[in-house]
Amino acid sequence: MEVLKPIELKLDVEDPIQNCEEGLPLSPIARLCHQPDSGIYIIVMIGMKTKMNPEDIKASLVHTFLKQPRFCSLQVEDETVKGGLKWVNQKEVNLDNHVIVPILDINNIESPDKFVEDYVSNLSKTGIKMSVPMWDIHLLNLKTTDAESVAVFRVHHSLGDGISLMSLFLACTRKISNPNKPPTIPMVKKVNPSKSSGGFWGKFIKLWLVILLFWNTLVDVSMFIATSLSLLNDTKTPLKGPLSQTRRFVRRSVSLDDVKLVKNTMNTTINDVMLAITQAGLSRYLNRKYGECHKIDKGVSEKSNNLPHNIRLRAAFAMNLRKPPGIQELDVMMKKGSKARWGNKMGYLFYPFTIALRDDPIDYLREAKATMDRKKASLEASFSYFLPKCFIKFGGVKMVSFPTQTTLWFSNVVGPEEEIGFLGYPVAYIAPSSYGQPTGLLIHVLSYANKITFILSVDEGIIPDPNQLCDDLEESFNLIKSAAIAKGMSTN
């Protein structure tokens, strides 16, 4: 397969490097990412269908990543603000500090897949010095099961959130089917809960929605505050424990067409399906773990299982707060005054998973949809974004931290709809995740072409068998899919 033609970003700004946020302070959320207990990095494993040439990669980076101001800026102490940091442009970026090409003794590598997994795991034990822009890319020209080579892109979360980085990533790609065109930007449709605008019933519905929004927000914010004050913690389970700061990253993919089949059959969203699979997979995993602990396996049915009653298990669910929602073109995010501005514009809500075994797998989907529909009718995510900003502004960054009381973090981002080439190389898979978060488990979901992938970032001291959890997620999806197909056939 031939290497694709390299691309060059053309941003709609006069000079993105000279007109960057020179001297401006880091946002409160970006400063929070530097706290000792939350030094968070985003890490993306990108499998390529061909070998990579490091010099070609460097040449492409000059015309892509280095066009983005924060990728050529340092974060230095702000003398005007105690404990503050500000952006300072670095006129020249030495790419040798950012493009890492380890020397590989291929003849002595027994399992390339395990080598790549260990390499990324070891990266999670390190950080990037603040004396250089806080990102790097590691090039592993090693053939694995599903790629000819692997690029590992790492960036400190202070540079931007997942939506920002996905926007930059897509700007650096082109369609495989048409190398002259960028990939299709996935669009998120805004749902209008009521099309009725006139008459008594129209006004009544609007009033009811406002009351519902107020009530849900009041309840969620109260629980949010109680959780933040450690008055409401998750149940201690085999998925929750003291962190060892050694992460391992594993992934498992399922057919996107099959996921859409379940979504359409049950009239839900893809996000609902992913949450249902996660809830079912976590329930199966914990049922096995409790059976091993008690050395008594009661079974895997709804009436006979190993699970304790009333397990409180929640995820800090990352939410993009930009308007409009979804991935935006890089030009739009870079414009001054844009509502979809680059940076860390995210909140989170506490999503409760019901840990239980269900005889009817569709029950997981019903529960996931009901819970998420209720969370959508709440301002909890916006509250979680603005409250820390207020605390940081008036009391200092040490007053706040990312949530540690939940069992896991969960994130879901829509990826490219077709196969793409990145920095001139055709992409086999994309697996984003992160490390540094104060929980033992992070589940990230990303769609790419005809697949949707669960990427797990686990603390090895808490979850020593992450591939087993992947098996449980995959088996849960198969059960939900079979049940949905059977239900669809019975209603036709």
Side-chain angles (χ1 to χ4, degrees), residues 176-210:
I176 292 292
S177 59
N178 189 342
N180 294 320
K181 289 189 176 181
T184 304
I185 301 292
M187 302 299 294
V188 176
K189 295 181 180 179
K190 187 175 182 180
V191 179
N192 186 359
S194 175
K195 293 182 180 180
S196 177
S197 58
F200 171 79
W201 288 112
K203 294 179 180 179
F204 177 80
I205 291 174
K206 288 184 177 181
L207 177 62
W208 171 249
L209 291 175
V210 171

Side-chain angles (χ1 to χ4, degrees), residues 370-398:
T371 302
M372 183 48 72
D373 284 349
R374 186 203 166 283
K375 287 292 184 178
K376 289 176 181 177
S378 171
L379 299 177
E380 179 184 4
S382 297
F383 175 83
S384 73
Y385 175 73
F386 288 107
L387 184 64
K389 289 182 67 175
C390 293
F391 279 159
I392 291 173
K393 182 176 181 180
F394 297 108
V397 72
K398 292 184 179 181

Side-chain angles (χ1 to χ4, degrees), residues 7 170 173-184 418 420:
I7 61 176
L170 291 178
T173 65
R174 293 293 182 266
K175 293 181 180 181
I176 292 292
S177 59
N178 189 342
N180 294 320
K181 289 189 176 181
T184 304
E418 59 271 299
I420 58 172

Side-chain angles (χ1 to χ4, degrees), residues 245 249 261 353 377 418 426:
Q245 301 302 324
F249 304 88
L261 173 65
F353 288 107
E418 59 271 299

Side-chain angles (χ1 to χ4, degrees), residues 20 26 31 43 46 52 56 98 105 109 118 145 164 175 217 279 281 288 304 322 331 360 387 392 430 432 492:
C20 68
L26 270 67
R31 289 172 59 192
I43 192 163
I46 308 171
M52 297 176 289
D56 289 342
H98 300 274
D105 188 358
I109 297 177
D118 290 342
T145 301
S164 295
K175 293 181 180 181
T217 300
Q279 181 166 295
R288 181 186 303 102
S304 177
R322 295 174 177 84
D331 264 356
D360 182 2
L387 184 64
I392 291 173
I430 311 166
N492 289 336

